[in-house]
Amino acid sequence: MGRVVKGRPWNGDLEIVAVIADAETAASLALHQRAGFTPAGRLERVGRKFDRWLGTTLLQKALATE
């Protein structure tokens, strides 16, 4: 994860966004937060898996400032 978000932004990109699905997310959320991502929002009931609705958590990290 560190190599993905460290260093200069690509092609002038300023932000990187992660979308984490609900199924067993604690480890994934912790990983992203350790890498500097912050919560940016939530989408409820956007997909189904094994006959149950899933939501997603959105996380965001600034790559650079203008």
Side-chain angles (χ1 to χ4, degrees), residues 5 10 13 17 19 21 26 32 37 40 44 46 49 52 54 57 65:
V5 297
W10 304 304
D13 295 334
V17 175
V19 181
H32 283 82
F37 285 78
E44 299 290 343
V46 294
K49 185 174 182 179
R52 80 173 232 231
L54 297 175
T57 299
T65 58

Side-chain angles (χ1 to χ4, degrees), residues 7-25:
R8 295 179 167 253
W10 304 304
N11 300 321
D13 295 334
L14 297 177
E15 302 288 325
I16 187 169
V17 175
V19 181
I20 312 295
D22 279 346
E24 305 295 324
T25 61

